[in-house]
Amino acid sequence: MNVIEIKNMKKNFGDKEVLKNISFSVKEGEVVSILGPSGSGKSTMLRCATFLEKMDAGSLSYMEKEVVYEKNGVFCYPTKKMIREVCGNFGLVFQNFNLFPHYSVMKNIADAPISIQKRDKAEVEQEVRVLLEKVGLAEKENAYPCELSGGQQQRVAIARALALQPKMLYFDEPTSALDPEITAGILKIMKELAAEKMTMVIVTHEIDFARAVSDRVIFMDEGVIVEQGKPEDVIDHPKNERTKAFLKKLSY
């Protein structure tokens, strides 16, 4: 089953065409990494897929249910209520953590499952403790974001996304604000999630990581998908000149 399917997604900012007919799907349990230079449209595509930006054309489906589509020449976009329901399918981890500074670690993670999903508080808090153990922060449930390092904040953000029990996770350059030593710890957690067959779409510049965990790699440039396929094909034996040039720059 496809957890997400995008067909002919387009997005403009004023006169600038940022996404041009983007199409791909992600199956349950699949890990897809999205590579490309800054300004290639990777994050915008992810923001459109998660309703943080409104796409201008195309279709979007979750769990094989079409939620954004065109019918008889009319572009149909879901209501706020429907968007809230669809957002239950995914968790999103940003590069800047986006934790609530006035909430403890426990409240940052437990708040949405309790207030939005209306789940039992004691049950959620017990699940949060299991998640904190999983991300190596068992002793930090009463700490506040200002008391944590960047890497610890990103671990909290991953636990927060997992607490919603999503069908899939999106990562938008989750290690770009972290130093290399801390990055290794975050990538380790993501590798463990991949081994557990968590469906993931990862916008990243970590080429070795993408090669190691991805079932498929997509290379984007100038708002289009230039090349996609198995990591060993796209990363180690790219066919397109733009892909080759991008990877050559990163290898220096």
Side-chain angles (χ1 to χ4, degrees):
M1 175 188 278
N2 287 332
V3 180
I4 178 175
E5 184 169 13
I6 294 169
K7 291 181 184 171
N8 304 317
M9 179 188 277
K10 294 182 182 178
K11 176 67 183 175
N12 288 16
F13 289 119
D15 294 335
K16 185 170 172 57
E17 200 176 13
V18 180
L19 298 176
K20 311 165 189 175
N21 285 322
I22 296 290
S23 298
F24 70 94
S25 60
V26 182
K27 291 186 172 64
E28 210 164 358
E30 192 176 22
V31 177
V32 175
S33 290
I34 301 177
L35 309 176
S38 296
S40 59
K42 308 182 302 295
S43 292
T44 300
M45 182 279 298
L46 190 147
R47 290 177 66 83
C48 287
T50 56
F51 303 99
L52 294 171
E53 295 281 357
K54 189 172 181 180
M55 53 195 272
D56 294 324
S59 70
L60 174 61
S61 301
Y62 276 99
M63 305 309 290
E64 304 197 338
K65 181 184 177 184
E66 208 168 41
V67 288
V68 180
Y69 54 91
E70 294 181 58
K71 188 174 181 181
N72 301 325
V74 177
F75 184 57
C76 302
Y77 205 76
T79 61
K80 284 183 180 177
K81 181 174 183 288
M82 189 185 291
I83 287 174
R84 277 197 301 273
E85 288 172 10
V86 174
C87 285
N89 287 304
F90 57 80
L92 181 56
V93 179
F94 302 88
Q95 55 183 298
N96 296 322
F97 325 134
N98 287 12
L99 301 178
F100 293 109
H102 55 294
Y103 283 4
S104 67
V105 165
M106 171 60 79
K107 189 164 171 58
N108 259 290
I109 300 170
D111 190 57
I114 293 167
S115 61
I116 297 171
Q117 295 181 333
K118 310 297 182 192
R119 290 165 55 203
D120 178 72
K121 185 178 184 221
E123 183 185 303
V124 170
E125 288 184 348
Q126 186 53 41
E127 288 175 12
V128 170
R129 291 186 181 103
V130 172
L131 285 171
L132 286 173
E133 185 88 40
K134 184 186 184 83
V135 299
L137 292 175
E139 74 292 356
K140 296 291 186 183
E141 68 173 79
N142 296 314
Y144 285 80
C146 65
E147 300 172 309
L148 304 176
S149 68
Q152 288 172 328
Q153 289 186 57
Q154 192 61 292
R155 288 166 189 257
V156 173
I158 292 171
R160 180 180 59 183
L162 288 168
L164 292 164
Q165 300 177 345
K167 300 281 193 309
M168 69 177 294
L169 289 179
Y170 288 101
F171 291 87
D172 187 7
E173 297 193 15
T175 59
S176 66
L178 306 173
D179 68 39
E181 193 176 336
I182 294 170
T183 290
I186 299 300
L187 297 181
K188 181 174 179 285
I189 292 169
M190 293 169 68
K191 282 179 181 175
E192 288 166 1
L193 291 171
E196 293 166 9
K197 292 297 179 188
M198 168 59 77
T199 309
M200 295 191 282
V201 173
I202 306 164
V203 172
T204 184
H205 282 113
E206 301 286 344
I207 299 298
D208 290 340
F209 170 75
R211 184 192 286 109
V213 304
S214 308
D215 297 295
R216 192 152 40 95
V217 169
I218 291 172
F219 175 70
M220 285 180 65
D221 194 15
E222 296 181 356
V224 300
I225 291 177
V226 174
E227 193 166 348
Q228 64 175 307
K230 292 179 179 176
E232 57 267 31
D233 295 332
V234 176
I235 295 173
D236 298 326
H237 305 287
K239 294 182 177 65
N240 190 280
E241 290 304 319
R242 280 196 275 180
T243 317
K244 288 177 185 175
F246 172 74
L247 291 167
K248 190 175 180 183
K249 275 184 195 168
L250 288 189
S251 67
Y252 287 121

